[in-house]
Amino acid sequence: MEPLAISLRPKKLDDVIGQTHLIGEGKILSNLVKNKKLFSMILYGKPGIGKTTIAVSLVEELGLKYRMLNATINNKKDFDTVVEEAKMYGELVIIMDEIHRLNKDKQDLLLPYLESGLIILIGMTTSNPYHSINPAIRSRCQIFELKELTSDEIKIAINKAKTVLKDISIDDESIDYIANISSGDLRYAYNLLEVSYYSTDKKVTLESLKNISNKPNLFHDKNGDGYYDVISAFQKSIRGSDVDASLHYLARLLEAEDLDIIFRRMSVIAYEDIGLANPVMGMKVDACINACERLGLPEARIPLAEMVIELALSPKSNSAYLAIADAMNDINKGNTGNVPNHIKTTSKDYKYAHDYPNHVVKQQYLPDNLVGKRYYKPQNNKNELKLKEINDRLRKIIDE
């Protein structure tokens, strides 16, 4: 017998529960079905909110041939096979789970066929694609964020489940409990309902549910704050130097046992928010991550707590972040200019800095149109005041 979540999977887009910002009269995905057109896309959001359901519903309603792949499990030979199928059919949709784990070989294989339209890709991921998916893939796809389901939407789904579990006995209090503890994850709600149904002679009660699971599904929190909001609050609390709030959000992420996102976020904080005010923090974060990987949970919570306290109370500077943003903004606007002739690869006029006192020599390095441009602007903290002195002294020699 199929799991309840599979039995209740919608066959049509209009039967999908939730995602009303994408599905319904006049909404993007519904219009694609209406106009019989599909584009490559990435669906992202927390588990159990309908990514696979939406992908399959789209292609089946449009009557398109498709294959399902997993970027981690399926090997390059599997990808070669679907490319050959696409050539045979003239067009093929690939529904790919965990697309953020797609390696370079598989990307290189797919890219030309995505470009030509022979393959339409529907990628699915729980990771933010703007951070985790290769830009070459991302630029060829429309990105749609799926929202966690509300408690009311979970309740609608549970009531629908009664059509499959026909002799189930369940009261409103138990339905409310499942809706709240599921934290927007419909798959989790179905699984909890199904386990309770078969383990209690088909009479689901609040007591039976609590015996199975009395802990919220903490991919995000019970009160409905999105998981990505908790991650955002974690970084912003550290950036704002509120050590207690920082520890609070760390605890919520630890409860979800998501060490990877904690590691990534601490690394970002060390360089984006603390930066040159306390540059040793990057190395300290790396050491903390290494310790946590050796220890695992629950012990990893201790070095993480120490690191978060130190990050929150450290002096802050975003000067490096602002400097590279300013430089990249010039590049994106085409404000580049030619490399000065004397520092080109084949130049004989280049002055080798190590041949001069203090290893610095008067010489132009920026293109002519950017001479005098200052990307790095030191901020008012102990470490950068020292860097400012050094920079001012060097600029006098280089620019005089």
Side-chain angles (χ1 to χ4, degrees):
M1 182 178 177
E2 287 183 329
L4 184 62
I6 301 299
S7 300
L8 290 167
R9 177 167 282 168
K11 302 294 191 295
K12 297 190 305 179
L13 203 60
D14 286 345
D15 293 334
V16 172
I17 294 173
Q19 313 313 327
T20 54
H21 62 300
L22 297 173
I23 299 168
E25 183 66 31
K27 299 300 173 63
I28 296 171
L29 297 185
S30 296
N31 280 344
L32 291 180
V33 172
K34 179 181 176 181
N35 295 317
K36 302 187 185 310
K37 184 66 177 178
L38 189 63
F39 300 93
S40 290
M41 66 180 70
I42 295 169
L43 305 174
Y44 84 98
K46 67 184 287 289
I49 59 174
K51 295 186 292 294
T52 302
T53 296
I54 289 173
V56 173
S57 296
L58 276 170
V59 294
E60 290 195 342
E61 278 203 79
L62 289 168
L64 300 173
K65 295 188 180 298
Y66 70 96
R67 292 290 178 267
M68 300 189 71
L69 295 176
N70 185 296
T72 303
I73 296 171
N74 291 107
N75 57 33
K76 190 170 180 291
K77 184 177 179 181
D78 298 324
F79 280 71
D80 285 328
T81 300
V82 296
V83 167
E84 291 306 312
E85 282 190 64
K87 291 176 180 177
M88 181 174 65
Y89 294 129
E91 183 181 76
L92 186 70
V93 180
I94 297 179
I95 299 175
M96 187 181 302
D97 202 7
E98 297 196 72
I99 190 172
H100 61 284
R101 297 188 183 277
L102 192 66
N103 67 31
K104 189 175 185 303
D105 285 348
K106 295 170 186 174
Q107 288 174 29
D108 290 344
L109 178 66
L110 288 179
L111 281 173
Y113 303 109
L114 286 178
E115 195 74 49
S116 69
L118 184 68
I119 286 175
I120 297 172
L121 176 66
I122 303 180
M124 301 174 295
T125 176
T126 56
S127 297
N128 189 326
Y130 295 103
H131 302 308
S132 62
I133 293 179
N134 184 289
I137 292 288
R138 198 173 65 227
S139 68
R140 290 165 173 80
C141 299
Q142 297 300 312
I143 297 175
F144 300 114
E145 180 182 7
L146 273 60
K147 309 294 185 182
E148 61 265 22
L149 275 65
T150 66
S151 293
D152 286 342
E153 288 167 341
I154 295 286
K155 290 175 190 176
I156 291 169
I158 294 169
N159 283 311
K160 278 191 174 184
K162 294 177 182 177
T163 62
V164 175
L165 307 174
K166 296 184 184 298
D167 50 356
I168 190 173
S169 171
I170 183 170
D171 57 26
D172 290 341
E173 188 179 24
S174 299
I175 292 174
D176 288 344
Y177 179 80
I178 294 173
N180 288 330
I181 203 171
S182 299
S183 296
D185 184 336
L186 183 53
R187 188 188 301 116
Y188 181 93
Y190 280 151
N191 290 344
L192 178 56
L193 178 66
E194 190 172 21
V195 171
S196 182
Y197 172 79
Y198 284 109
S199 63
T200 59
D201 294 326
K202 304 173 183 178
K203 184 176 182 179
V204 178
T205 65
L206 189 59
E207 182 181 2
S208 70
L209 290 167
K210 287 184 175 180
N211 285 336
I212 297 166
S213 179
N214 61 6
K215 179 179 177 181
N217 176 19
L218 283 169
F219 193 85
H220 73 162
D221 78 294
K222 181 178 177 180
N223 295 321
D225 293 332
Y227 179 62
Y228 298 109
D229 291 339
V230 175
I231 298 167
S232 174
F234 176 60
Q235 179 167 1
K236 287 171 182 172
S237 297
I238 295 175
R239 179 186 294 152
S241 302
D242 188 327
V243 67
D244 299 301
S246 302
L247 288 167
H248 170 79
Y249 292 114
L250 172 65
R252 281 160 74 160
L253 293 170
L254 282 171
E255 198 66 25
E257 299 186 356
D258 194 346
L259 287 179
D260 283 346
I261 192 60
I262 297 171
F263 294 163
R264 291 199 300 272
R265 195 54 48 184
M266 288 196 314
S267 296
V268 168
I269 291 164
Y271 293 100
E272 178 182 344
D273 297 309
I274 292 171
L276 291 167
N278 192 359
V280 74
M281 293 304 287
M283 292 180 284
K284 285 189 173 184
V285 167
D286 281 346
C288 175
I289 292 171
N290 288 334
C292 291
E293 288 176 338
R294 287 196 299 271
L295 291 170
L297 288 171
E299 287 82 0
R301 75 191 188 284
I302 303 167
L304 284 173
E306 291 183 12
M307 193 72 257
V308 165
I309 290 169
E310 194 168 356
L311 286 167
L313 298 179
S314 171
K316 309 293 193 297
S317 171
N318 67 342
S319 60
Y321 169 84
L322 294 174
I324 191 60
D326 192 12
M328 293 186 75
N329 185 48
D330 270 344
I331 305 305
N332 291 330
K333 291 190 301 185
N335 191 17
T336 53
N338 295 323
V339 174
N341 288 330
H342 57 275
I343 59 171
K344 288 182 178 178
T345 308
T346 58
S347 174
K348 296 180 180 179
D349 298 322
Y350 170 60
K351 296 176 183 177
Y352 187 58
H354 297 297
D355 290 339
Y356 295 84
N358 300 313
H359 307 276
V360 63
V361 59
K362 175 179 170 57
Q363 185 168 230
Q364 179 185 329
Y365 293 96
L366 279 169
D368 290 343
N369 60 312
L370 290 173
V371 168
K373 177 78 178 187
R374 297 291 180 262
Y375 293 114
Y376 174 54
K377 297 167 185 173
Q379 295 181 359
N380 188 25
N381 58 75
K382 185 178 179 180
N383 189 65
E384 286 193 273
L385 289 175
K386 292 179 182 177
L387 291 178
K388 183 179 184 302
E389 289 179 14
I390 296 169
N391 190 42
D392 288 347
R393 177 170 51 81
L394 292 172
R395 293 257 57 97
K396 285 180 181 179
I397 297 172
I398 295 170
D399 294 341
E400 70 181 6

